[in-house]
Short mmCIF file of all heavy atoms in Angstrom, two decimals:
data_model
loop_
_atom_site.label_atom_id
_atom_site.label_comp_id
_atom_site.label_asym_id
_atom_site.label_seq_id
_atom_site.Cartn_x
_atom_site.Cartn_y
_atom_site.Cartn_z
N TRP A 84 125.75 88.76 97.64
CA TRP A 84 124.61 89.07 96.76
C TRP A 84 123.73 87.84 96.65
O TRP A 84 124.21 86.71 96.78
CB TRP A 84 125.03 89.59 95.38
CG TRP A 84 125.80 88.65 94.47
CD1 TRP A 84 127.16 88.62 94.30
CD2 TRP A 84 125.27 87.63 93.59
NE1 TRP A 84 127.49 87.65 93.38
CE2 TRP A 84 126.36 87.03 92.92
CE3 TRP A 84 123.97 87.17 93.29
CZ2 TRP A 84 126.20 85.99 91.99
CZ3 TRP A 84 123.82 86.14 92.37
CH2 TRP A 84 124.93 85.57 91.72
N GLY A 86 120.63 86.20 94.10
CA GLY A 86 119.99 86.35 92.80
C GLY A 86 118.80 85.41 92.66
O GLY A 86 118.81 84.29 93.18
N LEU A 87 117.78 85.89 91.96
CA LEU A 87 116.61 85.07 91.65
C LEU A 87 116.46 85.04 90.13
O LEU A 87 116.52 86.09 89.48
CB LEU A 87 115.37 85.68 92.30
CG LEU A 87 114.12 84.80 92.37
CD1 LEU A 87 114.37 83.56 93.22
CD2 LEU A 87 112.95 85.59 92.96
N ALA A 88 116.29 83.84 89.57
CA ALA A 88 116.12 83.67 88.12
C ALA A 88 114.67 83.28 87.88
O ALA A 88 114.26 82.15 88.18
CB ALA A 88 117.08 82.60 87.60
N SER A 92 116.27 79.16 85.38
CA SER A 92 117.65 78.82 85.02
C SER A 92 118.39 80.14 84.80
O SER A 92 117.78 81.21 84.81
CB SER A 92 117.70 77.96 83.76
OG SER A 92 117.28 78.72 82.66
N MET A 93 119.70 80.06 84.58
CA MET A 93 120.46 81.31 84.50
C MET A 93 120.23 82.07 83.20
O MET A 93 120.24 83.30 83.19
CB MET A 93 121.95 81.01 84.68
CG MET A 93 122.79 82.28 84.62
SD MET A 93 124.48 81.99 85.09
CE MET A 93 125.23 83.46 84.36
N LEU A 98 116.86 88.14 85.63
CA LEU A 98 117.60 87.82 86.85
C LEU A 98 117.51 89.03 87.77
O LEU A 98 117.74 90.16 87.33
CB LEU A 98 119.07 87.53 86.54
CG LEU A 98 119.36 86.45 85.50
CD1 LEU A 98 120.87 86.36 85.24
CD2 LEU A 98 118.82 85.10 85.96
N VAL A 100 119.10 90.63 91.07
CA VAL A 100 120.23 90.51 91.98
C VAL A 100 120.11 91.62 93.03
O VAL A 100 119.84 92.77 92.68
CB VAL A 100 121.56 90.66 91.20
CG1 VAL A 100 122.75 90.62 92.14
CG2 VAL A 100 121.68 89.58 90.13
N HIS A 118 126.36 81.23 80.29
CA HIS A 118 126.83 81.08 81.66
C HIS A 118 128.06 81.93 81.89
O HIS A 118 129.16 81.44 82.17
CB HIS A 118 127.09 79.60 81.98
CG HIS A 118 125.83 78.82 82.17
ND1 HIS A 118 125.56 77.65 81.51
CD2 HIS A 118 124.73 79.08 82.92
CE1 HIS A 118 124.36 77.21 81.86
NE2 HIS A 118 123.84 78.06 82.73
N SER A 119 127.85 83.24 81.74
CA SER A 119 128.90 84.22 82.00
C SER A 119 128.23 85.45 82.58
O SER A 119 127.00 85.52 82.63
CB SER A 119 129.65 84.54 80.70
OG SER A 119 128.72 84.94 79.73
N THR A 120 129.00 86.43 83.01
CA THR A 120 128.47 87.58 83.74
C THR A 120 127.23 88.18 83.05
O THR A 120 127.30 88.56 81.89
CB THR A 120 129.55 88.67 83.87
OG1 THR A 120 130.69 88.07 84.48
CG2 THR A 120 129.06 89.81 84.72
N PRO A 121 126.11 88.25 83.77
CA PRO A 121 124.90 88.83 83.18
C PRO A 121 125.07 90.34 82.95
O PRO A 121 125.83 91.00 83.65
CB PRO A 121 123.83 88.57 84.24
CG PRO A 121 124.42 87.64 85.23
CD PRO A 121 125.90 87.79 85.14
N TYR A 174 118.00 80.17 91.82
CA TYR A 174 118.60 81.21 92.67
C TYR A 174 120.11 80.97 92.72
O TYR A 174 120.60 79.88 92.38
CB TYR A 174 117.99 81.22 94.08
CG TYR A 174 118.42 80.07 94.97
CD1 TYR A 174 119.52 80.20 95.84
CD2 TYR A 174 117.74 78.86 94.94
CE1 TYR A 174 119.91 79.15 96.65
CE2 TYR A 174 118.14 77.80 95.75
CZ TYR A 174 119.22 77.96 96.61
OH TYR A 174 119.61 76.91 97.40
N ALA A 175 120.81 82.00 93.12
CA ALA A 175 122.26 81.91 93.24
C ALA A 175 122.71 82.92 94.28
O ALA A 175 122.01 83.90 94.55
CB ALA A 175 122.92 82.20 91.90
N ILE A 191 129.56 92.01 89.84
CA ILE A 191 129.33 91.06 90.93
C ILE A 191 130.23 89.84 90.71
O ILE A 191 130.44 89.43 89.57
CB ILE A 191 127.84 90.63 91.03
CG1 ILE A 191 127.33 90.08 89.68
CG2 ILE A 191 126.98 91.78 91.50
CD1 ILE A 191 125.95 89.47 89.77
N PRO A 192 130.74 89.28 91.80
CA PRO A 192 131.55 88.07 91.67
C PRO A 192 130.67 86.86 91.36
O PRO A 192 129.48 86.87 91.66
CB PRO A 192 132.19 87.93 93.06
CG PRO A 192 131.22 88.58 93.98
CD PRO A 192 130.58 89.69 93.21
N VAL A 193 131.24 85.86 90.72
CA VAL A 193 130.45 84.68 90.36
C VAL A 193 129.90 84.00 91.62
O VAL A 193 130.48 84.12 92.71
CB VAL A 193 131.28 83.70 89.50
CG1 VAL A 193 132.43 83.11 90.29
CG2 VAL A 193 130.40 82.60 88.91
N HIS A 194 128.79 83.30 91.46
CA HIS A 194 128.16 82.64 92.61
C HIS A 194 129.00 81.49 93.18
O HIS A 194 129.72 80.81 92.47
CB HIS A 194 126.77 82.10 92.25
CG HIS A 194 126.62 81.63 90.83
ND1 HIS A 194 127.22 80.51 90.34
CD2 HIS A 194 125.95 82.17 89.79
CE1 HIS A 194 126.91 80.35 89.07
NE2 HIS A 194 126.14 81.35 88.69
N TYR A 197 124.40 77.75 93.48
CA TYR A 197 123.15 77.96 92.75
C TYR A 197 122.31 76.70 92.91
O TYR A 197 122.83 75.62 93.18
CB TYR A 197 123.38 78.28 91.27
CG TYR A 197 124.09 77.20 90.48
CD1 TYR A 197 123.41 76.05 90.07
CD2 TYR A 197 125.42 77.33 90.14
CE1 TYR A 197 124.06 75.07 89.34
CE2 TYR A 197 126.08 76.35 89.41
CZ TYR A 197 125.39 75.22 89.02
OH TYR A 197 126.03 74.24 88.32
N TYR A 199 117.68 75.42 92.80
CA TYR A 199 116.32 75.70 92.33
C TYR A 199 115.35 75.59 93.49
O TYR A 199 115.55 74.80 94.41
CB TYR A 199 115.95 74.71 91.22
CG TYR A 199 116.99 74.68 90.12
CD1 TYR A 199 117.99 73.70 90.10
CD2 TYR A 199 117.04 75.68 89.17
CE1 TYR A 199 118.99 73.72 89.14
CE2 TYR A 199 118.03 75.71 88.20
CZ TYR A 199 119.01 74.72 88.19
OH TYR A 199 120.00 74.75 87.24
C1 HEM B 1 128.22 87.02 88.27
C2 HEM B 1 128.40 86.47 87.11
C3 HEM B 1 128.00 85.05 86.82
C4 HEM B 1 128.78 84.11 86.25
C5 HEM B 1 130.20 84.30 85.77
C6 HEM B 1 128.02 82.89 86.20
C7 HEM B 1 128.49 81.70 85.68
C8 HEM B 1 127.83 80.50 85.69
C9 HEM B 1 128.33 79.25 85.17
C10 HEM B 1 129.69 79.07 84.52
C11 HEM B 1 127.38 78.31 85.38
C12 HEM B 1 127.43 76.86 84.97
C13 HEM B 1 127.96 76.00 86.04
C14 HEM B 1 128.01 74.56 85.61
O1 HEM B 1 127.32 74.22 84.63
O2 HEM B 1 128.72 73.79 86.25
C15 HEM B 1 126.27 78.95 86.04
C16 HEM B 1 125.11 78.32 86.44
C17 HEM B 1 124.02 78.95 87.00
N1 HEM B 1 123.90 80.29 87.31
FE1 HEM B 1 125.30 81.70 86.98
N2 HEM B 1 126.79 83.09 86.74
C18 HEM B 1 126.72 84.41 87.13
C19 HEM B 1 125.63 85.03 87.69
C20 HEM B 1 124.40 84.44 87.97
C21 HEM B 1 123.24 85.14 88.48
C22 HEM B 1 123.16 86.62 88.79
C23 HEM B 1 122.27 84.23 88.65
C24 HEM B 1 120.90 84.57 89.18
C25 HEM B 1 120.13 83.74 89.81
C26 HEM B 1 122.79 82.93 88.22
C27 HEM B 1 122.14 81.72 88.25
C28 HEM B 1 122.65 80.51 87.84
C29 HEM B 1 121.93 79.25 87.88
C30 HEM B 1 120.50 79.05 88.40
C31 HEM B 1 122.79 78.28 87.36
C32 HEM B 1 122.51 76.78 87.17
C33 HEM B 1 122.46 76.42 85.70
C34 HEM B 1 121.26 77.04 85.04
O3 HEM B 1 120.16 76.91 85.59
O4 HEM B 1 121.42 77.69 83.99
N3 HEM B 1 124.10 83.11 87.80
N4 HEM B 1 126.56 80.29 86.22
#
Side-chain angles (χ1 to χ4, degrees):
W84 65 262
L87 194 63
S92 67
M93 180 170 161
L98 305 176
V100 177
H118 286 129
S119 54
T120 305
Y174 73 93
I191 55 172
V193 66
H194 33 70
Y197 61 77
Y199 308 97

